[in-house]
Amino acid sequence: MRANLTNLSEGAEWSSNTRVLTGASSATKGSENMEAIKKAGGKATDAAGLCDAYVQGEFNDWYLPASDELQTLYTVMVGINKTLSATAGSQTLESAFYWSSTEKMNGSAWGIDFESGTATASNKMRNGHVRAIRAF
């Protein structure tokens, strides 16, 4: 996977629609979760909407990582941040809560606390960081 060089948001909701179960249940396939989230509807300012709208260069296939993909990003955060620190215009991963695209139930979805590496199911209306990834 390839991670975006910057956070797309540091205060986005997973979704303001807490009554709908989107079917974004994959822990390993964020791109599939994104399709489910888009079919269920959502706002462009929600975490998935920000990733879906993101374009960098000729690439427009960015998505909100699934919980396992996000956990991988946390696991290699030290190396990623070393590279990002040396790259102009980039932003290191922060010790903060990042949303995944994996939904738990109607009102909650999974995210990872990048300070401890703990996966947490949180209210979809919680403000969290958003970092898009893409397959390559």
Side-chain angles (χ1 to χ4, degrees):
M1 88 180 101
R2 175 165 288 166
N4 181 32
L5 297 176
T6 61
N7 293 325
L8 298 183
S9 176
E10 295 179 358
E13 296 177 344
W14 193 89
S15 176
S16 56
N17 187 351
T18 59
R19 293 191 174 102
V20 174
L21 188 61
T22 66
S25 59
S26 177
T28 59
K29 297 179 181 169
S31 58
E32 289 180 12
N33 286 346
M34 286 286 293
E35 292 305 312
I37 293 167
K38 288 187 332 189
K39 285 180 185 175
K43 297 186 300 187
T45 56
D46 292 343
L50 292 169
C51 294
D52 187 50
Y54 184 69
V55 176
Q56 182 182 37
E58 71 269 13
F59 301 110
N60 64 356
D61 57 347
W62 298 90
Y63 60 90
L64 188 63
S67 56
D68 286 359
E69 292 171 315
L70 190 60
Q71 187 68 54
T72 299
L73 203 58
Y74 169 77
T75 301
V76 297
M77 182 171 81
V78 171
I80 288 173
N81 279 349
K82 184 177 179 181
T83 300
L84 289 172
S85 292
T87 305
S90 66
Q91 176 186 24
T92 58
L93 293 164
E94 299 175 38
S95 295
F97 178 82
Y98 281 84
W99 280 118
S100 83
S101 62
T102 308
E103 183 175 46
K104 181 173 184 194
M105 51 197 263
N106 292 6
S108 64
W110 291 100
I112 305 260
D113 178 345
F114 270 48
E115 184 168 347
S116 65
T118 304
T120 305
S122 288
N123 183 299
K124 289 180 180 178
M125 295 178 72
R126 175 183 180 173
N127 287 329
H129 284 53
V130 177
R131 181 72 64 129
I133 66 169
R134 61 182 295 273
F136 67 95

